Amino acid sequence: MSILDSKIPKGPLADKWTKHKNDINLVNPANKRNIDVIMVGTGLAGGSAAATLAELGYNVKTFCYQDSPRRAHSIAAQGGINAAKNYQGDGDSTYRLFYDTIKGGDYRSREANVYRLAEVSANIIDQCVAQGVPFAREYGGMLDNRSFGGVLVSRTFYAKGQTGQQLLLGAYAAMNRQINRGKITPYNRHEMLDLVIVDGKARGIIARDLVTGKIERHSAHAVVIASGGYGNVFFLSTNAMGSNVTASWKIHKRGAYFANPCYTQIHPTCIPVSGDHQSKLTLMSESLRNDGRIWVPKKKEDAEAIRNGKKKPTDLSAEERDYYLERRYPSFGNLVPRDVASRAAKERCDAGYGVNKTGEAVYLDFASAIERYGKEQAAIHGNHNPSDAEIKKLGTQVIESKYGNLFQMYEKIVDENPYETPMMIYPAVHYTMGGVWVDYNLQSTIPGCYVTGEANFSDHGANRLGASALMQGLADGYFVLPYTIGDYLSKDIKTGKISTETKEFDEAESRVRELLNKLVNNNGTHSVDYFHKKLGKIMWDKCGMARNAEDLKSAMSEIRALREEFWKDVKVPGGMDEMNSELEKATRVADFLELGELFAKDALHRNESCGGHFREEYQTEEGEALRDDENFMYVAAWEYTGDPGNEVLHKEELDYENIEVKSRSYK
């Protein structure tokens, strides 16, 4: 075990990033034209970084498995993006955003990284407005804000319920400009299957053309991984079905440490599982908790009657409802952080108060908000004695203007009108705070290999606050990586073009071909999905919202056995030299089957509860997470050894010099 150096600059917290930018090396514009950068992933983190690096003059190659960068999963982000602009005049500041993020992450993230994130957040909004991103505006034309969980201010900028889509289109437009200039060469429908290391430095990748099946070699002076998170290790998640860990896992196997894999976010407001036939879950934005109130029946007999179809939720009066988040957390109410809200929903459902047929759902009710907005709108229109029908009509119009596309999506999936009857929601896997370990420069333990956005571990600790994923992705891509990667590339100005005709590229391509040949010639009896579903069930049952040592040990052995069965008995139809979606899935699930074991190992070694990692043995009398700061205030970074169950632990100690570390309370 070693202690990792995060390369955080010395000096006062508020000056670290500015000082660092002043101290690092730069690349002359004329020299940038001779330097190549590979970008794997073109969502918000990758797309923004690719556009910015190309604008600076670097030659960029982008790779995505989708048919267009517009299809990146960033497009599914709904609720908003945080920034410390304080447009509401409600006391927000860079420091408050920094503090809320550290606290929300349960004191398991780096001070310096989080402060930098808060510091550049305001620039992101200016950048995106300049691109034409249609953020919501108030009546007077100023940008509007709403609140998200874990904070007491309104700092979330939004574009209805499709913020990720609008931000991604902004980044994509910036990319397109560079594509037209010839500074970005896009490789869509390509998947990275290995990293090439030459003389200890990342110098290229092996990619597969998913349309033709052709194996390709691509070289560069640096490789950036921006391929998102690994939530699909659970099979059912809110991630796009193609989202995978492969790029991150391939660089892990080449020497990049993987940090805190057990820190996984379970989002509290998702459409509940309806049966075994499902292949993904659907998010209902956290922004809905601004106006929706979460409740279950106070009496078990009422919950049972609703489950059996004998009662409707609208039959219960306010006195017969348990608004359990407002009861347990009066200061934050329905806007507690995601991990807290998810565990509270699980606790109520486990106790027998769940409201759908499976007993795993709670209500998200907008009746109070519709009434409140309706009365307000009536008063604005001079109607001081409105009827109930008028109040409902006016209030519904306000809710529709804020969340209309989300309500429409819910009705299409569930076939119930959420304006008339409460939504049913339940927690689901949504985001991963763990990822590839990076230093302050976003460089992994492999020189020249950088990792941005959700693919790295860096900014959110053990729990991410809502609307901070878009903030981190765009901060990394627009404002951090373009500075820090120059420090590394300044040493490559005389290197010249990197050749792909070397033994390192030969060996990497050979490994990829061997893997693909093995899969297509395996001739087993079970499909890839068969194994993925089995893995997902182990992960959800034993590594999900609540974990314990016995289950985690069992999960490790079960996943290992499942992995062995996969390699003996998986059947991948078709060949490798053609379009083959089953082969794509097979390579991704093979990586999930290794990651799953490391995930359980990481959760087992961390004998505490913090953020999204909740160990049943470590909780307070009130059922809240119980941290062990004396023994576990560190980043756990794992080194690959050839066996996921026997990886080597390296630690990065976390120092808090600017805030007081204390028990997280949202009461």
Side-chain angles (χ1 to χ4, degrees):
M1 186 188 79
S2 64
I3 303 300
L4 292 168
D5 177 15
S6 56
K7 297 184 172 63
I8 295 172
K10 306 291 185 200
L13 183 66
D15 299 335
K16 284 183 190 290
W17 177 231
T18 301
K19 182 178 185 304
H20 190 60
K21 286 190 292 183
N22 291 338
D23 291 346
I24 57 180
N25 294 313
L26 302 177
V27 181
N28 180 297
N31 289 325
K32 285 173 183 165
R33 294 195 289 269
N34 302 318
I35 292 178
D36 303 325
V37 178
I38 283 174
M39 185 69 58
V40 181
T42 52
L44 283 180
S48 59
T52 309
L53 290 171
E55 180 77 44
L56 288 170
Y58 297 107
N59 306 308
V60 181
K61 290 182 179 181
T62 61
F63 293 81
C64 66
Y65 69 79
Q66 300 93 343
D67 57 359
S68 164
R70 290 172 303 174
R71 302 284 188 194
H73 186 59
S74 301
I75 208 166
Q78 296 169 355
I81 176 170
N82 289 329
K85 284 282 201 182
N86 194 31
Y87 281 168
Q88 302 298 315
D90 56 1
D92 200 11
S93 64
T94 297
Y95 181 85
R96 191 174 286 276
L97 174 52
F98 155 72
Y99 177 78
D100 287 343
T101 305
I102 291 278
K103 178 184 175 184
D106 221 351
Y107 303 93
R108 290 294 178 266
S109 50
R110 276 190 205 139
E111 269 193 345
N113 281 60
V114 176
Y115 194 89
R116 175 175 67 186
L117 178 66
E119 192 178 344
V120 304
S121 66
N123 298 341
I124 297 170
I125 304 303
D126 297 339
Q127 168 90 357
C128 294
V129 168
Q131 288 174 340
V133 173
F135 286 123
R137 293 180 181 268
E138 295 175 335
Y139 180 76
M142 294 289 287
L143 293 177
D144 195 13
N145 293 110
R146 54 190 178 199
S147 293
F148 261 58
V151 303
L152 294 173
V153 296
S154 294
R155 65 162 68 102
T156 305
F157 295 79
Y158 64 97
K160 211 167 186 180
Q162 47 188 256
T163 315
Q165 181 184 37
Q166 300 304 326
L167 292 171
L168 185 61
L169 290 174
Y172 178 62
M175 271 186 71
N176 259 348
R177 179 167 175 270
Q178 302 305 324
I179 291 169
N180 291 336
R181 289 180 65 220
K183 296 304 292 181
I184 291 179
T185 306
Y187 291 87
N188 301 342
R189 298 292 287 131
H190 280 67
E191 184 160 30
M192 169 187 162
L193 292 178
D194 211 344
L195 179 74
V196 181
I197 297 176
V198 181
D199 297 330
K201 297 178 179 180
R203 290 302 199 194
I205 65 170
I206 305 297
R208 180 170 179 267
D209 183 329
L210 300 180
V211 177
T212 66
K214 182 185 177 186
I215 307 299
E216 299 175 357
R217 303 178 179 191
H218 294 275
S219 66
H221 298 89
V223 176
V224 182
I225 305 298
S227 54
Y230 49 87
N232 276 350
V233 70
F234 286 84
F235 184 69
L236 284 179
S237 81
T238 66
N239 290 183
M241 288 177 64
S243 297
N244 62 80
V245 75
T246 292
S248 296
W249 196 252
K250 296 305 184 192
I251 69 168
H252 176 52
K253 293 175 85 165
R254 298 276 81 80
Y257 295 174
F258 207 95
N260 301 333
C262 75
Y263 289 167
T264 305
Q265 181 161 90
I266 315 286
H267 198 294
T269 54
C270 301
I271 296 177
V273 175
S274 59
D276 293 337
H277 59 281
Q278 275 182 276
S279 53
K280 82 175 297 295
L281 298 173
T282 305
L283 173 72
M284 287 285 104
S285 170
E286 178 166 324
S287 61
L288 294 172
R289 289 198 273 148
N290 273 271
D291 289 311
R293 300 177 71 193
I294 296 174
W295 64 274
V296 292
K298 277 184 179 174
K299 298 176 183 174
K300 281 188 183 176
E301 49 266 38
D302 284 339
E304 196 171 325
I306 289 172
R307 286 198 295 271
N308 295 331
K310 295 176 182 175
K311 272 190 177 181
K312 296 178 180 177
T314 48
D315 294 337
L316 270 59
S317 66
E319 291 72 31
E320 295 173 303
R321 303 175 179 190
D322 176 16
Y323 295 96
Y324 58 88
L325 290 178
E326 297 172 26
R327 168 173 57 82
R328 288 180 62 177
Y329 307 101
S331 290
F332 285 75
N334 294 294
L335 284 172
V336 290
R338 292 172 176 178
D339 59 319
V340 176
S342 292
R343 283 196 294 274
K346 182 179 188 297
E347 185 275 327
R348 288 290 80 195
C349 291
D350 288 351
Y353 295 93
V355 294
N356 69 345
K357 289 178 182 176
T358 65
E360 293 186 330
V362 299
Y363 286 124
L364 180 62
D365 195 337
F366 292 86
S368 297
I370 287 172
E371 182 181 351
R372 184 177 75 251
Y373 285 128
K375 288 178 177 176
E376 184 181 290
Q377 288 299 307
I380 289 170
H381 290 99
N383 183 355
H384 298 290
N385 191 24
S387 66
D388 289 347
E390 288 172 323
I391 289 171
K392 187 171 184 180
K393 181 182 176 183
L394 291 168
T396 298
Q397 288 172 354
V398 174
I399 293 294
E400 186 176 6
S401 71
K402 287 186 161 195
Y403 314 113
N405 65 311
L406 301 173
F407 277 53
Q408 182 184 35
M409 187 162 58
Y410 180 88
E411 188 168 3
K412 278 189 175 182
I413 293 170
V414 181
D415 196 25
E416 287 184 359
N417 182 353
Y419 296 104
E420 302 290 340
T421 187
M423 285 184 179
M424 284 190 289
I425 56 166
Y426 194 69
V429 173
H430 176 59
Y431 186 90
T432 53
M433 286 75 65
V436 179
W437 185 89
V438 292
D439 62 19
Y440 191 67
N441 293 321
L442 304 183
Q443 186 172 225
S444 71
T445 44
I446 301 172
C449 183
Y450 289 75
V451 188
T452 65
E454 189 179 353
N456 75 31
F457 88 100
S458 66
D459 292 352
H460 304 295
N463 174 63
R464 176 176 68 75
L465 292 182
S468 287
L470 305 186
M471 175 174 64
Q472 187 213 343
L474 292 181
D476 286 356
Y478 283 136
F479 298 110
V480 179
L481 182 75
Y483 281 101
T484 60
I485 199 170
D487 189 43
Y488 172 81
L489 293 173
S490 64
K491 303 171 187 69
D492 265 330
I493 58 175
K494 294 182 180 177
T495 303
K497 206 81 174 164
I498 306 292
S499 172
T500 58
E501 301 302 319
T502 63
K503 68 177 175 52
E504 290 86 357
F505 275 90
D506 291 343
E507 290 165 1
E509 182 178 336
S510 176
R511 282 194 300 266
V512 169
R513 289 188 179 279
E514 185 182 341
L515 169 73
L516 298 178
N517 270 315
K518 189 174 181 182
L519 286 167
V520 295
N521 294 315
N522 206 47
N523 291 326
T525 57
H526 290 298
S527 70
V528 176
D529 278 350
Y530 167 85
F531 291 99
H532 198 177
K533 285 179 179 177
K534 288 189 81 168
L535 171 64
K537 180 159 177 54
I538 296 168
M539 295 297 296
W540 182 251
D541 290 347
K542 300 186 175 181
C543 309
M545 270 191 282
R547 306 151 181 181
N548 59 63
E550 185 181 343
D551 278 351
L552 291 168
K553 288 174 185 172
S554 165
M556 286 184 70
S557 58
E558 286 179 42
I559 293 169
R560 179 178 287 258
L562 183 65
R563 188 167 69 245
E564 290 170 2
E565 186 189 350
F566 171 86
W567 285 109
K568 287 177 188 169
D569 205 26
V570 71
K571 181 171 181 61
V572 179
M576 61 179 276
D577 299 318
E578 61 187 9
M579 183 186 286
N580 189 338
S581 58
E582 283 300 302
L583 180 57
E584 293 169 37
K585 284 197 287 187
T587 57
R588 296 166 189 168
V589 172
D591 293 328
F592 280 139
L593 284 163
E594 294 186 352
L595 167 68
E597 188 176 354
L598 177 62
F599 186 121
K601 179 182 176 70
D602 185 47
L604 179 63
H605 110 279
R606 191 169 280 279
N607 292 320
E608 64 164 353
S609 292
C610 58
H613 168 63
F614 189 78
R615 285 281 296 271
E616 292 170 345
E617 308 97 318
Y618 306 102
Q619 55 182 304
T620 66
E621 290 180 4
E622 296 173 320
E624 304 292 347
L626 187 62
R627 292 197 322 263
D628 180 354
D629 292 337
E630 188 176 340
N631 295 306
F632 292 97
M633 193 178 278
Y634 60 77
V635 176
W638 298 92
E639 180 184 3
Y640 188 74
T641 59
D643 178 2
N646 289 302
E647 297 209 4
V648 176
L649 173 64
H650 301 270
K651 296 180 181 179
E652 179 198 336
E653 302 293 341
L654 293 169
D655 272 331
Y656 292 99
E657 301 169 353
N658 298 276
I659 57 173
E660 179 190 356
V661 177
K662 54 189 178 184
S663 294
R664 211 172 44 145
S665 173
Y666 293 96
K667 293 182 183 296

